Amino acid sequence: MFIYFNLHLFIMESWNISKKLKIELLKKSSSIEDNSRRILFILRNLGPQRFTNLIKYSNLSRSTVSKYLIQHKNNNNIEQRLITDRRTNKEYRSYVITEKGIEKLGEEPLKLKDESFLLNELKENVRKLEDLIDFYKEINVEDPFIIHIVRIISKIGDNFFELQQDRDLYLSLFYIFYNSILGQGAFARIYWHFDESSSQKFVGYKLNLDQFCELFNVSVEAINYLARFKLIKNDFGFYLIKRENSDFFFHEEDLLGTTTLRLIKDKLIDEIINLQEGIYDMIYDLDILAEDLTNQLKEMGLIWDAIQDQFQLLVLNLIIKNAIEMGFLDIEREKLLEGVSQSKKLSLTEEGKLIKNAILEGANIDLNFNMLTLIPD
């Protein structure tokens, strides 16, 4: 750990996050019913803000914003600090969330507006999925499994319904959820018996791709394209770890996905705050950072020993992806480049090698971070 003197000014006015992420955060912010918590949410997720920006981002009146800022300052949830905008080199007084404010924000789930609208949207999505639900019932998928699939698809939204709704898609989705990391034992409750005289050869819970396709009479090409390529993109939110003949999936909106991405983002937010304050607590070894975060997930019971090393490599990729989205290539380029260049584990996967080469060579980064393919020993 390296600690330097505490500068009484910040480096930039707000965190340099991607436009897409900023839009999503502001959309969620505008749905928060409690105006007091809306202010804290903006400061927590968009970084230090000037008073005028808080009015713009919160969609609240000047007097309302002023009222809650005074309350939060009195309760030590926020404080004002001097920030230097790197682009203009001008100094501004800005509001910053404190540790107490972060704790206050996390005390209870955010209550969002338009819950009736969200319920109607869910009902509409379920209506669109009637054929999918009927198909799963025909192949004897249990109700809890179907409900889980429908819940996740509803969160994907319109992107999913732009795909051709047919048997190949439904089986590809079933393949994904059947082989989900959370599903190992939680959802896999369909039993087939091994019989040498039968074409249905299944040993234990896990089906590899060939076994799955043989059992459900679907082409390997269809599953390969839909489950291992088409759906493994940001637009759909699925993640895939490929290890030899085994596939392991999770989704950004399931328990593993939300927890993993939150841990990564929180760690990077802490580093940005430290950098802005002049306190350098940056872990230069990205491999160790990925290992620490993966150990936390294991302690939570979300992953198990057999996939821990592989999952750690995906976490490493996601740390870099989120660091790029949050502006580390702009605000602390040398530190990120140092971490990437020193990483030994990036070279263990095909995607990691591409990420490492692209960053170090200064190339445009247009890579799929949602998949991890191990390089054979």
Side-chain angles (χ1 to χ4, degrees), residues 172-173 175-176 179 206-210 213 220-233 238-249 351 368 370-373:
S172 296
L173 273 173
Y175 177 80
I176 287 174
N179 290 286
K206 187 97 171 124
L207 286 173
N208 65 32
L209 179 60
D210 291 334
C213 292
V220 172
E221 291 75 19
I223 303 297
N224 253 328
Y225 174 70
L226 290 167
R228 290 173 139 196
F229 172 70
K230 183 67 175 179
L231 292 169
I232 308 301
K233 294 183 177 179
F238 290 105
Y239 292 84
L240 166 61
I241 297 174
K242 293 198 293 185
R243 185 185 67 183
E244 297 178 349
N245 293 325
S246 297
D247 293 336
F248 299 91
F249 298 87
E351 294 76 22
N368 186 1
N370 291 38
M371 185 165 64
L372 182 103
T373 308

Side-chain angles (χ1 to χ4, degrees), residues 98-132:
T98 63
E99 287 295 326
K100 185 177 179 182
I102 293 173
E103 292 177 4
K104 176 68 177 177
L105 182 64
E107 284 179 356
E108 59 187 49
L110 295 172
K111 186 177 291 186
L112 305 181
K113 293 179 179 178
D114 301 325
E115 291 182 348
S116 61
F117 171 78
L118 295 175
L119 181 60
N120 289 333
E121 185 178 41
L122 176 60
K123 289 179 179 178
E124 176 63 18
N125 286 339
V126 172
R127 185 191 65 76
K128 293 178 182 178
L129 293 169
E130 286 179 352
D131 288 343
L132 176 145

Side-chain angles (χ1 to χ4, degrees), residues 84-252:
T84 299
D85 190 329
R86 175 174 283 180
R87 292 168 299 178
T88 64
N89 202 33
K90 293 181 178 180
E91 293 183 346
Y92 301 98
R93 298 290 294 180
S94 295
Y95 293 92
V96 181
I97 192 169
T98 63
E99 287 295 326
K100 185 177 179 182
I102 293 173
E103 292 177 4
K104 176 68 177 177
L105 182 64
E107 284 179 356
E108 59 187 49
L110 295 172
K111 186 177 291 186
L112 305 181
K113 293 179 179 178
D114 301 325
E115 291 182 348
S116 61
F117 171 78
L118 295 175
L119 181 60
N120 289 333
E121 185 178 41
L122 176 60
K123 289 179 179 178
E124 176 63 18
N125 286 339
V126 172
R127 185 191 65 76
K128 293 178 182 178
L129 293 169
E130 286 179 352
D131 288 343
L132 176 145
I133 294 170
D134 290 342
F135 174 77
Y136 287 156
K137 288 183 176 180
E138 288 176 9
I139 63 173
N140 297 318
V141 179
E142 291 192 348
D143 287 345
F145 204 133
I146 297 175
I147 291 171
H148 177 66
I149 295 175
V150 170
R151 183 187 300 120
I152 296 298
I153 292 175
S154 296
K155 292 181 179 181
I156 296 173
D158 292 339
N159 287 331
F160 176 79
F161 298 107
E162 292 176 1
L163 300 173
Q164 182 172 330
Q165 306 291 303
D166 57 19
R167 185 177 186 273
D168 284 351
L169 177 63
Y170 301 159
L171 284 174
S172 296
L173 273 173
F174 183 59
Y175 177 80
I176 287 174
F177 283 96
Y178 181 81
N179 290 286
S180 74
I181 293 174
L182 290 177
Q184 301 303 302
F187 299 108
R189 303 184 185 280
I190 302 174
Y191 297 86
W192 294 278
H193 297 287
F194 177 78
D195 184 349
E196 291 185 357
S197 64
S198 169
S199 62
Q200 296 183 1
K201 296 181 179 180
F202 171 74
V203 181
Y205 278 112
K206 187 97 171 124
L207 286 173
N208 65 32
L209 179 60
D210 291 334
Q211 291 171 329
F212 183 93
C213 292
E214 181 181 358
L215 182 62
F216 289 104
N217 190 28
V218 61
S219 73
V220 172
E221 291 75 19
I223 303 297
N224 253 328
Y225 174 70
L226 290 167
R228 290 173 139 196
F229 172 70
K230 183 67 175 179
L231 292 169
I232 308 301
K233 294 183 177 179
N234 287 334
D235 290 344
F236 300 101
F238 290 105
Y239 292 84
L240 166 61
I241 297 174
K242 293 198 293 185
R243 185 185 67 183
E244 297 178 349
N245 293 325
S246 297
D247 293 336
F248 299 91
F249 298 87
F250 67 99
H251 191 269
E252 64 186 11

Side-chain angles (χ1 to χ4, degrees), residues 17 43 50-51 53-54 57 71 82 104 132 196 199 226 230-231 241 243 262 285 337 346 355:
I17 61 177
L43 294 177
R50 297 161 61 191
F51 180 69
N53 280 346
L54 282 173
Y57 292 153
Q71 288 182 5
L82 192 63
K104 176 68 177 177
L132 176 145
E196 291 185 357
S199 62
L226 290 167
K230 183 67 175 179
L231 292 169
I241 297 174
R243 185 185 67 183
R262 185 73 254 178
D285 195 327
L337 290 178
L346 276 174
I355 293 168

